[in-house]
Every structure is written in C-alpha cells, then in structure tokens.
Amino acid sequence: MIQTAIRTSNRRSIYKLEKEESIPDGMCIDTEGKLWVACYDGGRVIRLDPETGKRLQTVKLPVDKTTSCCFGGKDYSEMYVTSASDGMDKEWLSRQPQAGGIFKTMSSSIKIESVVKEKNRMGECPVWEERESALIYVDINSQKVCRWSSLTNEVQSVSVDARVGSVALRQCGGYIIALGTRFAFLDWDTKAVTTILELEQDKPNNRFNDGKADPKGRFFAGTMAEETAPGVRARRQGALYTLFPNHSVIKQLDQVDISNGLDWSLDHRTFFHIDSLAYAVHAFSYDVHTGKIACPRLLYHLEKEEQMPDGMCIDAEGKLWVACIDGGRVIRIDPETGKRIQTVRLPTPRITSCCFGGKDYSEMYVTSAYDGLDETTLAKEPHAGEIFKITGLGVKGIPQNFYAA
C-alpha cells in the first residue's frame, strides 16, 4: 500500500497494489505530479494519480526484481530503472540474464482527453481517414456510421437499416461496411448503401462484427451470434470471411464465437485475430499474395483483470494494442514474446476498439460503449460511450489499408 503523509500523525491510503504488481519499492514523481512506483518481483513500474488513486500506466521491464526509478537525461525525459539479482536461483537467473542491470526508458507523458462527447451505445471500429482529417467509426446498436472531423469537431452520421459492425476506407472514395450479414458500399455524400452480397442467410440471429482491409486491399470481417437474452448466446456460430476486390468471398475460419479485433504484422507474414470469448489473441501465418491464413497459435491470453479482448490495432514498432471491454484499458502486447508490455487505463470501463491517427499517426483514438451498463453504473461513469484521444504514447501508428474496389 502506498500512503501519503499529510502530517506526521495523519496519513491516508492512495493505492493498494494488485497481486500481479507484487511489492512496491522505490518511487519518483513526474512534472504532472503523477507517481512512478517500481514493483519488486513485479517486473514493472506503474504510474499513479495521487488525486484519484488510480493506476494510469504500466511499463514492463525485462527483469522481475525492479527496485527503483528516477528521471534524468538532458531534459529529464528519460527514466532510469534499477534492478537486483540477489534472491534469484541459477535457473531464474538463466532466464533473466539482465537481472541487476539498470534500464533506460523514454518517459512519455500520456494525456487522455474525450474528443467526441456524443455518446455511442456501442462505438466500434475507429478508422483514421487522412484525406478528411477525420475519424470514421460505427455505433453498432444505433445502426449508424459516424464521422468526426478533427478540424471542425463536428460529428456527422449516416443511419443504415441493420446493426453495422465495421467500416473501412475505399481506394476510390467512400466506404465499405459490414452490416447485418451483408457487405455493402456506403456513399457518404448521397447516403446510399449498395449491397455487394449477403452471407449466412441460414443464421438469422447472426451479424457482422469487426472488420478491416488487408495490405492488398481485401476486406476481412467476421460474424457472431447476437444474444437472445442478457448473457445468453449460441456458441460457435460465427465465422471470418475475406471479400476480394472482385467481390468473391472465402470463409477463413468457422465455429467462431465473437469474431473481433484483427490486424497484420508489418512484414505482412502474420495475421492477428481475436475471438472474444476465447479471451485471447491468436496469430496465423498469412500469405499476402492469396490472402489465406493458416497455422493458428496462441499469442496472448488475457488476465482476469483485463477482462475480454475487443478491437485491436498495430503500431509502427509492430506491437499490438488491444481494447479490453469491461477492463477499462488498452494493453500493448509484443508479438515476439507474447508478453504484455504496457497498460493504459481509460476513464470508462467498456473500452471497445482503438486506432492510430492524427497528422503523423502519433495519436490513438479509443472508442467506448454505454450499452451493457445499468443505471447505477452509468451514473458513476459519465464518460461511457465517448471517444478518447491518447497522446504521449511515445509510439506512432501506420496508415489504414484501403479496400481496393
């Protein structure tokens, strides 16, 4: 437990460490008044807000016995973290050869602000549209495709006739969307929706969920079964499809529960996919020439406090960012090691998806939802359903792919 001394005889509790964080050790403060605490045997430093008592950020280190931290460097933008090797047996030391070393991390001053105050029942699938300096996204349960202009701060929307799970940019302008159980084009100016083809007509309770264009201009999107009652859903009814630019389609995966976040490695050799009810991120081999995926393997299984994985994106360093619905956070995962390396908390629990955007793709946009929260919880969560911009992550994203037709 971390405590602050108001007077020598009066102190109050700020933050009680979670089990995985282990024992608090050394600590320092940054220029925003936030505390950084080294977690001995936790292999991390955590950033805390003394005013709210909330953890804002987690930075993982390559050793367990993290002992203390301080800021330094020319402009004090670097954090130095000490560690220990005492208390580790030979096997443990062989797995952590850097134990006892001192590490330098670039301190990023993370800022989170709500940029779209208009509430979304189920905001999802954010896509940065560079040509419009805008964020395109969907509100699934309101059956709307929305566009927020970063220049005017205005939100426009187009209503459609079914729940819309995903949207992607078209090379020729406009958008491709997955709504109900069909693929369609959306002309923003005329609001016209033109169906390309319909799937799963034998599954009236299914709908499309998350989707994204691949590096060669194909559109990947998956389906899921809707709930028939709160918490009641037919299992393994979904699938993952690929729509080619010539409008042909193939089924990539079957017996999926909730097909969700997806992206591709920077070398275009790996496809990443989330089936939410598996509480995991899986990696597949990916043939960029054919669009086919194969050889699934578990990449990361979410911890209990992270709750359920939802949308996902990749950054310019090849690391994955996963939105944790009901976990109130996005987590950064290293696909090479399968380890979580960073956690960023958001001010509302139902965090649904994320993407990079802005002029140089240094901003992260995060969608959220208010559907699924009861009245009591909603009263305590005034930001539920809003869209957030995170700056200061210290990493950039990459431009979105276009559907090639």
Side-chain angles (χ1 to χ4, degrees):
M1 187 179 293
I2 296 169
Q3 300 176 318
T4 179
I6 306 301
R7 290 190 299 269
T8 55
S9 61
N10 185 11
R11 62 183 184 181
R12 62 183 173 85
S13 204
I14 287 181
Y15 179 81
K16 182 172 173 55
L17 272 74
E18 297 182 10
K19 185 178 179 181
E20 65 168 11
E21 294 166 345
S22 198
I23 301 168
D25 201 328
M27 177 170 64
C28 66
I29 197 165
D30 63 29
T31 56
E32 295 179 3
K34 306 300 188 289
L35 298 172
W36 290 84
V37 180
C39 299
Y40 190 78
D41 284 336
R44 67 196 72 194
V45 289
I46 56 175
R47 188 179 189 228
L48 307 176
D49 187 335
E51 297 204 2
T52 64
K54 296 283 181 69
R55 184 183 67 207
L56 304 173
Q57 189 177 352
T58 301
V59 179
K60 289 280 198 91
L61 279 296
V63 295
D64 289 335
K65 291 189 174 291
T66 305
T67 55
S68 195
C69 53
C70 78
F71 287 95
K74 184 181 288 186
D75 57 357
Y76 288 86
S77 65
E78 300 164 351
M79 176 180 282
Y80 291 88
V81 183
T82 54
S83 70
S85 60
D86 275 7
M88 301 173 71
D89 58 29
K90 286 184 179 180
E91 183 186 349
W92 195 353
L93 278 168
S94 70
R95 287 186 276 111
Q96 296 195 1
Q98 294 174 287
I102 297 177
F103 304 90
K104 180 175 76 173
T105 67
M106 297 304 293
S107 163
S108 56
S109 181
I110 290 178
K111 181 181 178 185
I112 300 169
E113 60 181 308
S114 172
V115 291
V116 181
K117 306 285 188 185
E118 190 174 302
K119 310 287 188 183
N120 292 284
R121 291 180 60 189
M122 187 61 68
E124 273 279 10
C125 198
V127 178
W128 183 255
E129 187 171 11
E130 195 172 319
R131 59 197 175 194
E132 296 286 342
S133 296
L135 187 76
I136 188 92
Y137 59 97
V138 301
D139 184 342
I140 297 175
N141 294 347
S142 295
Q143 300 183 186
K144 294 191 302 187
V145 182
C146 308
R147 191 166 75 184
W148 169 75
S149 169
S150 66
L151 304 177
T152 66
N153 211 30
E154 181 185 7
V155 177
Q156 299 175 319
S157 64
V158 174
S159 295
V160 293
D161 64 4
R163 290 185 172 181
V164 53
S166 46
V167 58
L169 311 175
R170 290 182 70 190
Q171 203 161 34
C172 60
Y175 310 102
I176 182 169
I177 57 176
L179 73 166
T181 53
R182 69 189 197 269
F183 292 114
F185 291 135
L186 170 63
D187 184 304
W188 192 259
D189 295 328
T190 66
K191 299 183 175 8
V193 176
T194 306
T195 297
I196 302 167
L197 80 160
E198 188 152 1
L199 299 166
E200 297 191 358
Q201 296 184 59
D202 58 329
K203 294 182 176 181
N205 202 43
N206 272 19
R207 68 162 173 84
F208 269 111
N209 200 38
D210 211 350
K212 194 171 283 186
D214 83 349
K216 288 292 185 181
R218 312 171 188 99
F219 185 52
F220 280 56
T223 57
M224 57 176 278
E226 292 273 40
E227 289 186 343
T228 52
V232 179
R233 185 192 313 275
R235 298 295 302 270
R236 293 179 286 278
Q237 295 299 302
L240 176 69
Y241 297 93
T242 299
L243 179 71
F244 289 77
N246 65 3
H247 299 179
S248 63
V249 67
I250 59 171
K251 183 187 289 187
Q252 299 267 21
L253 297 174
D254 209 352
Q255 296 193 331
V256 176
D257 277 312
I258 301 176
S259 185
N260 228 319
L262 63 166
D263 220 321
W264 292 263
S265 62
L266 301 184
D267 64 5
H268 302 164
R269 297 177 66 180
T270 306
F271 171 69
F272 304 106
H273 180 253
I274 289 171
D275 181 350
S276 289
L277 292 189
Y279 291 86
V281 181
H282 283 85
F284 297 74
S285 62
Y286 168 69
D287 187 327
V288 70
H289 303 293
T290 65
K292 298 275 184 71
I293 65 173
C295 305
R297 60 181 173 86
L298 176 65
L299 183 66
Y300 180 81
H301 193 278
L302 272 75
E303 297 180 11
K304 185 177 179 181
E305 66 162 11
E306 293 165 348
Q307 297 286 339
M308 185 185 291
D310 201 330
M312 176 169 62
C313 68
I314 197 164
D315 64 32
E317 295 178 3
K319 308 298 191 289
L320 297 172
W321 292 83
V322 178
C324 301
I325 191 163
D326 294 328
R329 68 194 72 190
V330 289
I331 58 175
R332 190 180 188 220
I333 296 165
D334 186 341
E336 303 244 336
T337 64
K339 298 285 181 66
R340 183 190 66 212
I341 51 178
Q342 191 173 353
T343 300
V344 180
R345 296 284 191 105
L346 279 298
T348 190
R350 307 218 80 201
I351 298 303
T352 54
S353 195
C354 53
C355 79
F356 285 92
K359 186 179 288 186
D360 58 355
Y361 289 89
S362 63
E363 302 165 350
M364 175 179 280
Y365 291 89
V366 181
T367 51
S368 72
Y370 70 79
D371 271 9
L373 298 176
D374 59 33
E375 287 186 15
T376 304
T377 307
L378 270 173
K380 294 184 291 184
E381 299 292 348
H383 297 294
E386 296 178 3
I387 296 178
F388 306 93
K389 180 174 76 173
I390 305 176
T391 52
L393 284 171
V395 67
K396 296 180 181 181
I398 58 174
Q400 300 283 335
N401 299 314
F402 290 85
Y403 180 63

